[in-house]
């Protein structure tokens, strides 16, 4: 007792935040009123400190029950972060300890200390979490649709093959009885045509059946079945994001809340109980795995392995665990369709099934976790990745970027926001390609001070062969904004296939495109087949510009980078439609799909997604209009006027979702500069003042050799002969008409940006608590991922 008293007195002297806990005598579940404790989220590690001695002397016998809302149900009450709702949670507000505030984000609440940075919570990330809830909810519906199509296709194929078998048997009986003519042997062409007709009828039947299925309802019902979705948050910290997934995303069967520090997971459990999810807590799947491994000794089970075994399913609910994120993902690489009897018995109990969704949101770079993540996600699974190391990705520290992502950025470039995204996607695609997998970007955005990408991962060895076609090098002029992007490799056959897909919509009734005859089309196809060879890409020298075409300056080389699409426009447009429908329905989707609950940043997200949907898809990177005009000492050209000139010249143009002054176009550099030159002819820029040294070519009073004046960059660009015969600045009808949206929203508060990492726990723990209390602390903590220990109950 004396040691406990000394320990208790030291707690009041320390800067730690205490927390109160008790067990209600009328309920077996835990009712708590706890205060979050210090965290350290450096590199994704969130740490907290708990002092269970304090629980022995302070209890709250008059604790009122916490109002909760059932998970995955529609809600019409808009919840605002940091602003509790007085109508439904007055009891919560009354129990907020002094010096703390009640954080209410989405449908989840947590306590946050006002005076110190002990818990890492940044309101800037609310938009990140809202976007994640929306995109994962939409992915759940797409996943359910894919699963249904695969199963239905198998059923229809079996039915059609059975029908064909019966028809063949009837014909055979007729032939044997002499009632029909003997059929001739099928030719190879007839066989191919028959197979093609079979597949066409199969897809038509599946598509017909699909039109009558409500996948939104199936998704919501799947949370209680084996078709439910599993989500892994690798760096959970307080678990706020995981709890929002459990509450607000439909079709979720399992959420694994992982963190390296045991006290961080204890804080996550505290938030679980505070929000009424204590009955959803499950322990690790180790016990279930042992039972399954013992049952595998049965010979009958070995002889007839089921399609889905208990070993291939995680227990339903919220699983809190202490562990290294990469280790957990490396031992979660078991494909769901692989039976456990096919695995080496010594490794059988050390492999877990893959996850459907993996969320990586570290404090800094996600590069250390990507190798494990691309292996532990299912075929067609979703990776949600955040990187906040914009100093490296943006070019301020290019050597760091190359060490992490294998790509070298361009320093002080105007397009650094998009370059950061493309470097990240390049690295993810290379890591996935090592294991025969490819990525498909669903949404890639820059928000505030970080990057956030949502990509689907597929088993696609043929796609890995085409990976070099989506990678490219960047050549940036050292004197102006001109740049070139060249692919690492080219393939005529793949390019012809893509062109044929683009021309399918313009095909005539005979099936030929561009007015070609059938003979010419077949010759072209055969020629492209013979050229199915991957060749090295060509640099600007082969494009006719060994140096910058405007200034004659050499190029800086950057990359490699991803030059494929950043978004899936079909998914983005679907998200926009959902947000617009939810706006007229008190924040919820009237069709019952995602979003199930109001999103606080729905207006900002709508503007972000609208901007993404308007971007030119086949134009990597962009120009900054102020940079172009500044190079020639001209006032900035009106944006609509500049865009009108590009549109009238036959090119596509758009802005960029993170940069309002961006000009994203597929026009070559000389067209962009010709428009600037034409504008300067109509609106001559003011002459730049020259220094005395620049005028005379020497520096008076110096013994240095005579200095030859450099040719002014503006003079070089403006004196260049124009290739365009005419530049039309007339604004075409409909150019300024855009969907109404809140694009490029301003920061809602002052100091809206990165937040300092939470104060560390380990150093202060050793200084103020001491190492002698480790064993006692372990006893008090118990299993933070499961039920409270006996000593905790006694306390």
């Amino acid at each position: 007792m004396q040691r406990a008293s000394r320990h208790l007195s030291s707690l009041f002297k320390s800067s730690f935040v205490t927390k109160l806990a008790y067990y209600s005598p009328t309920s077996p579940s835990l009712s708590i009123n706890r205060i979050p404790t210090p965290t350290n989220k450096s590199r994704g590690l969130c740490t907290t400190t708990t002092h269970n001695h304090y629980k022995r002397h302070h209890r709250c016998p008059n604790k009122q029950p916490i109002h909760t809302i059932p998970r995955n149900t529609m809600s019409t009450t808009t919840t605002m972060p940091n602003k509790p709702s007085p109508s439904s949670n007055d009891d919560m507000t009354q129990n907020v300890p002094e010096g703390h505030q009640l954080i209410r984000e989405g449908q989840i609440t947590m306590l946050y200390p006002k005076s110190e940075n002990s818990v890492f919570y940044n309101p800037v990330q609310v938009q990140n979490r809202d976007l994640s809830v929306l995109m994962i909810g939409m992915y759940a519906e797409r996943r359910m649709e894919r699963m249904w199509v695969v199963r239905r296709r198998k059923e229809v194929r079996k039915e059609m093959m059975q029908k064909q078998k019966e028809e063949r048997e009837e014909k055979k009986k007729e032939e044997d009885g002499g009632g029909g003519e003997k059929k001739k042997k099928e030719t190879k062409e007839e066989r191919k045509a028959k197979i093609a007709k079979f597949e066409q009828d199969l897809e038509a039947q599946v598509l017909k059946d699909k039109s009558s299925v409500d996948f939104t309802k199936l998704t919501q019902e799947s949370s209680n079945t084996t078709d439910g979705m599993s989500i892994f948050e690798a760096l959970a910290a307080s678990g706020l994001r995981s709890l929002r997934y459990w509450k607000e995303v439909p079709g979720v069967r399992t959420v694994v809340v992982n963190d390296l520090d045991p006290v961080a997971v204890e804080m996550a459990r505290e938030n679980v109980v505070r929000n009424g999810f204590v009955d959803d807590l499950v322990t690790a799947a180790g016990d279930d795995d042992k039972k399954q491994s013992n049952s595998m000794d049965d010979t009958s089970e070995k002889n007839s392995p089921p399609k889905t075994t208990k070993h291939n399913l995680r227990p339903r609910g919220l699983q809190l665990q202490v562990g290294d994120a990469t280790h957990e993902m490396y031992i979660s690489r078991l494909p769901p369709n692989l039976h456990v009897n096919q695995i080496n018995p010594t490794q059988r109990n050390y492999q877990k099934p893959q996850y459907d969704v993996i969320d990586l949101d570290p404090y800094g770079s996600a590069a250390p976790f990507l190798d494990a993540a691309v292996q532990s996600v299912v075929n067609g699974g979703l990776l949600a990745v955040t990187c906040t190391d914009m100093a490296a990705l943006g070019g301020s520290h290019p050597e760091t970027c190359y060490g992490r992502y294998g790509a070298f950025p361009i320093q002080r470039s105007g397009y650094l926001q998009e370059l950061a995204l493309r470097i990240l996607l390049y690295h993810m695609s290379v890591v996935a390609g090592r294991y025969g997998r490819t990525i498909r970007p669903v949404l890639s955005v820059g928000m505030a001070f970080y990057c956030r990408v949502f990509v689907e991962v597929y088993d696609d060895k043929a796609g890995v062969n085409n990976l070099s076609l989506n990678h490219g090098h960047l050549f940036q002029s050292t004197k102006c904004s001109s740049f070139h992007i060249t692919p690492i490799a080219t393939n005529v056959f793949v390019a012809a296939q893509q062109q044929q897909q683009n021309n399918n919509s313009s095909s005539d009734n005979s099936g030929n495109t561009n007015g070609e005859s059938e003979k010419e089309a077949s010759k072209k196809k055969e020629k492209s087949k013979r050229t199915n060879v991957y060749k090295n890409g060509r640099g600007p020298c082969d494009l006719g510009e060994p140096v910058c075409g405007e200034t004659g300056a050499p190029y800086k080389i950057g990359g490699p980078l991803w030059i494929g699409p950043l978004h899936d426009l079909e998914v983005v447009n679907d998200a926009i439609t959902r947000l617009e429908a939810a706006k007229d329905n008190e924040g919820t989707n009237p069709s019952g799909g995602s979003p199930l609950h109001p999103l606080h940043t729905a207006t900002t997200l709508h503007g972000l997604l609208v901007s993404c949907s308007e971007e030119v898809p086949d134009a990597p990177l962009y120009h900054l209009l102020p940079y172009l005009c500044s190079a020639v000492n001209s006032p900035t050209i009106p944006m609509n006027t500049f865009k009108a000139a590009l549109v009238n010249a036959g090119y596509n143009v758009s802005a960029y979702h993170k940069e309002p002054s961006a000009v994203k176009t597929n026009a070559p550099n000389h067209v962009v500069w010709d428009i600037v030159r034409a504008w300067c002819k109509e609106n001559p820029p003011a002459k730049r003042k020259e220094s005395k040294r620049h005028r005379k070519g020497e520096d008076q009073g110096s013994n240095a050799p005579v200095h030859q004046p450099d040719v002014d960059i503006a003079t070089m660009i403006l004196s260049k002969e124009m290739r365009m015969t005419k530049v039309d600045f007339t604004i075409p009808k409909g150019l300024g008409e855009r969907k109404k949206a809140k694009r490029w929203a301003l920061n809602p508060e002052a100091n809206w940006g990165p937040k300092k990492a939470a104060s560390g726990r380990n150093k202060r723990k050793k200084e103020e608590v001491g190492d002698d209390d480790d064993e006692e602390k372990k006893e008090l903590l118990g299993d933070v991922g499961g039920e409270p220990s006996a000593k905790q109950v006694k306390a």
Side-chain angles (χ1 to χ4, degrees):
M1 283 299 292
Q2 293 179 357
R3 190 170 115 188
S5 301
R6 289 196 303 270
H7 188 187
L8 180 63
S9 63
S10 66
L11 298 180
F12 289 100
K13 297 179 183 179
S14 69
S15 60
F16 288 144
V17 183
T18 58
K19 53 185 177 180
L20 311 179
Y22 76 98
Y23 284 89
S24 174
T26 60
S27 174
S29 62
L30 177 64
S31 301
I32 66 167
N33 181 18
R34 299 183 180 179
I35 306 172
T37 51
T39 64
N40 182 355
K41 202 179 177 185
S42 177
R43 283 197 65 187
L45 308 181
C46 176
T47 64
T48 56
T49 302
T50 180
H51 303 291
N52 294 279
H53 295 290
Y54 193 80
K55 301 177 187 177
R56 302 176 182 175
H57 308 284
H58 297 78
R59 298 185 182 182
C60 305
N62 297 324
K63 175 73 176 179
Q64 299 296 325
I66 296 176
H67 174 76
T68 60
I69 303 174
R71 64 181 291 262
N72 295 343
T73 56
M74 299 286 287
S75 170
T76 57
T77 303
T78 304
T79 56
M80 306 285 287
N82 306 333
K83 295 182 181 179
S85 174
S87 60
S88 60
N89 291 279
D90 289 339
D91 51 345
M92 265 190 197
T93 307
Q94 294 174 359
N95 292 320
V96 175
E98 184 179 356
H100 292 74
Q101 61 180 342
L102 186 67
I103 300 297
R104 189 180 309 280
E105 184 177 311
Q107 301 296 307
I108 304 300
T109 61
M110 66 177 290
L111 289 175
Y112 183 72
K114 297 179 180 178
S115 59
E116 57 180 286
N117 186 29
S118 58
V119 178
F120 190 88
Y121 176 80
N122 195 347
V124 179
Q125 297 284 354
V126 175
Q127 183 181 1
N128 185 330
R129 288 183 281 267
D130 282 352
L131 180 62
S132 301
V133 168
L134 175 64
M135 299 306 296
I136 295 178
M138 294 174 59
Y139 166 76
E141 297 180 18
R142 296 197 306 274
R143 170 182 173 271
M144 179 56 61
E145 181 177 345
R146 287 198 297 261
M147 292 172 62
W148 183 92
V149 168
V150 170
R151 293 172 182 173
R152 184 56 186 160
R153 185 180 287 117
K154 290 182 179 179
E155 294 173 358
V156 174
R157 185 183 297 276
K158 187 176 181 180
E159 294 172 359
M160 293 177 64
M161 293 180 69
Q162 180 64 27
K163 185 177 179 181
Q164 286 185 350
K165 182 179 179 181
E166 294 174 357
E167 291 177 354
R168 287 195 302 268
E169 290 178 352
E170 291 180 2
K171 289 182 180 181
K172 187 176 180 180
K173 289 180 180 179
E174 293 178 359
E175 292 175 0
D176 295 340
E181 297 181 0
K182 193 172 182 179
K183 188 178 178 181
K184 296 182 180 179
K185 188 177 181 180
E186 288 182 341
T187 63
K188 188 176 181 180
E189 289 74 14
E190 291 175 345
R191 180 67 176 171
K192 286 184 178 180
K194 188 176 180 180
I195 294 175
K197 181 67 168 55
F198 179 87
E199 295 295 336
Q200 186 178 358
D201 294 342
L202 172 65
E203 294 301 327
Q205 183 63 38
V206 172
L207 187 62
K208 180 181 178 181
D209 297 342
K210 177 182 171 182
S211 60
S212 60
V213 179
D214 186 0
F215 292 106
T216 300
K217 184 179 179 180
L218 285 180
T219 302
Q220 293 177 349
E221 294 174 351
S222 66
S223 60
N224 297 319
T225 67
T226 57
D227 292 336
M229 189 167 56
S230 60
I231 302 178
F232 176 65
E233 188 182 6
L235 311 162
S238 62
L240 176 62
R241 185 186 297 264
S242 296
L243 296 185
R244 290 197 61 183
Y245 292 163
W246 180 251
K247 184 71 174 284
E248 302 177 36
V249 176
V252 178
R253 171 185 168 85
T254 303
V255 177
V256 178
V257 187
N258 181 84
D259 199 279
L260 186 61
D261 196 288
V263 189
V265 182
E266 169 68 13
M267 181 181 177
R269 185 177 65 165
E270 175 182 300
N271 290 330
V272 167
V273 181
R274 165 171 287 277
N275 288 275
F277 300 142
V278 66
D279 294 334
D280 297 323
L281 275 176
V282 295
T283 57
D287 296 336
D288 297 332
D289 292 344
K290 291 178 182 178
K291 293 178 183 179
Q292 177 66 22
S293 62
N294 294 333
S295 64
M296 285 188 299
D297 295 335
D298 189 0
T299 57
S300 62
E301 185 177 350
K302 289 184 180 180
N303 296 332
S304 58
K307 294 182 179 179
T308 303
T309 65
K310 190 176 180 181
H311 185 89
N312 283 351
L313 290 176
R314 286 184 169 82
R316 182 187 177 278
L318 284 164
Q319 179 181 330
L320 309 183
Q321 66 180 31
V322 179
D324 177 62
T326 54
H327 176 73
E328 170 63 25
M329 289 187 285
Y330 276 130
I331 64 173
S332 301
R333 295 179 290 173
L334 181 65
N337 58 351
L338 180 65
H339 189 258
V340 292
N341 293 329
Q342 299 173 300
I343 307 175
N344 187 329
T346 60
Q347 300 178 356
R348 184 175 296 155
N349 296 329
Y350 298 97
Q351 273 294 327
K352 302 178 184 179
Q354 294 173 319
Y355 292 97
D356 296 295
V357 178
I358 294 180
D359 192 304
L360 300 175
D361 187 15
Y363 190 92
S365 173
F369 309 98
L370 292 177
D371 183 81
V374 298
Q375 298 181 70
S376 56
V377 69
V378 298
N379 180 27
L382 183 70
L383 287 182
V385 180
T386 299
C387 285
T388 62
D389 56 336
M390 289 298 294
L393 288 169
S396 297
H397 300 286
E399 70 286 351
T400 303
C401 181
Y402 189 81
R404 291 176 182 171
Y405 303 99
F408 207 85
I410 300 294
Q411 294 176 287
R412 295 180 295 277
S413 60
Y415 42 71
L416 65 91
Q417 298 291 343
E418 184 177 350
L419 181 62
L421 284 174
R422 293 190 177 276
I423 288 177
L424 175 58
L425 290 175
Y426 160 77
H427 179 67
M428 294 179 66
S429 65
V430 170
V431 173
R434 298 170 187 164
Y435 308 102
R437 315 192 93 180
T438 58
I439 66 169
R440 184 178 72 89
V442 177
L443 180 67
S444 308
V445 293
M447 296 189 298
F449 53 88
Y450 57 88
C451 297
R452 181 69 167 173
V453 297
F454 299 87
V455 301
E456 293 180 357
V457 182
Y458 293 93
D459 295 331
D460 184 9
K461 292 185 178 180
V464 174
N465 295 335
N466 296 334
L467 193 59
S468 58
L469 307 179
N470 285 324
H471 292 169
H473 290 293
L474 171 61
F475 297 85
Q476 170 66 55
S477 172
T478 57
K479 295 293 185 180
C480 67
S481 300
S482 299
F483 64 86
H484 293 279
I485 295 179
T486 60
I488 290 180
T490 59
N491 188 303
V492 178
F493 177 64
V494 176
Q497 282 185 324
Q498 295 175 351
Q499 185 178 3
Q500 184 177 3
Q501 293 175 359
N502 296 333
N503 293 336
N504 281 340
S505 59
S506 60
S507 300
D508 55 24
N509 296 332
S510 63
N512 298 325
T513 59
N514 301 327
E516 293 178 343
S517 65
E518 185 177 354
K519 189 175 181 180
E520 291 176 350
S522 61
K523 284 184 178 180
K524 204 171 195 181
K525 188 175 181 180
E526 290 297 329
K527 184 178 180 180
S528 63
K529 284 184 178 179
R530 292 194 299 270
T531 57
N532 187 14
V533 179
Y534 293 85
K535 299 181 179 179
N536 295 84
R538 302 292 186 263
C541 296
D542 295 319
L543 300 177
E545 290 189 4
V547 293
C548 176
E550 308 302 323
T551 62
Y555 291 111
K556 295 185 288 186
I557 302 177
L561 66 154
W562 175 267
I563 60 176
L566 293 178
H567 322 292
D568 185 335
L569 293 181
E570 184 178 351
V571 176
V572 173
N573 290 327
D574 185 19
I576 294 172
T577 303
R578 290 169 182 258
L579 290 176
E580 291 174 348
K583 183 179 179 181
D584 301 329
N585 193 49
E586 297 183 350
T588 60
N589 192 341
S591 64
S594 184
L596 294 176
H597 303 277
L599 301 175
H600 175 58
T601 59
T603 303
T604 307
L605 289 179
H606 177 259
L608 175 70
L609 294 172
V610 169
S611 299
C612 292
S613 67
E614 296 170 345
E615 293 177 1
V616 178
D618 57 345
L621 306 184
Y622 53 82
H623 298 276
L624 287 181
L625 188 55
Y627 281 25
L628 295 172
C629 297
S630 176
V632 295
N633 199 29
S634 169
T636 303
I637 306 172
M639 181 61 75
N640 281 345
T641 303
F642 194 86
K643 288 182 177 180
L646 287 169
V647 171
N648 292 332
Y651 298 100
N652 298 326
V653 61
S654 70
Y656 183 67
H657 66 266
K658 187 72 189 319
E659 183 56 65
S661 60
V663 177
K664 196 173 178 66
T665 178
N666 58 350
N669 292 319
H670 71 86
V671 172
V672 174
W673 286 113
D674 279 352
I675 294 174
V676 174
R677 282 187 278 264
W679 174 264
C680 290
K681 285 184 179 180
E682 298 180 5
N683 305 272
K687 289 187 177 181
R688 188 171 295 169
K689 292 183 179 180
E690 297 179 348
S691 64
K692 195 172 185 181
R693 176 186 176 187
H694 185 79
R695 285 198 308 268
K696 293 187 176 182
E698 59 184 6
D699 189 2
Q700 293 182 355
S702 174
N703 295 326
V706 177
H707 172 74
Q708 297 297 329
D710 295 332
V711 179
D712 187 37
I713 299 300
T715 304
M716 293 177 61
I717 295 176
L718 294 178
S719 61
K720 193 80 174 178
E721 184 179 355
M722 293 179 56
R723 300 189 197 179
M724 297 178 64
T725 57
K726 182 181 179 181
V727 177
D728 185 5
F729 289 105
T730 305
I731 299 178
K733 185 178 180 180
L735 179 63
E737 298 177 1
R738 301 187 301 174
K739 183 187 287 286
K740 187 176 180 181
K742 188 177 181 181
R743 300 171 177 83
W744 308 297
L746 300 176
N747 293 338
E749 299 177 7
N751 303 320
W752 191 261
K755 186 177 179 181
K756 186 179 179 181
S759 54
R761 152 191 172 278
N762 295 327
K763 183 177 180 180
R764 293 192 300 177
K765 178 187 69 174
K766 291 182 180 180
E767 292 177 353
E768 300 180 356
V769 179
D771 298 331
D772 296 337
D773 297 330
D774 287 348
E775 295 298 328
E776 185 175 2
K777 190 170 182 180
K778 288 180 181 178
E779 294 180 4
L780 290 171
L781 281 175
D783 181 11
V784 296
E787 296 297 329
S789 63
K791 203 161 187 176
Q792 282 179 300
V793 177
K794 186 177 180 180

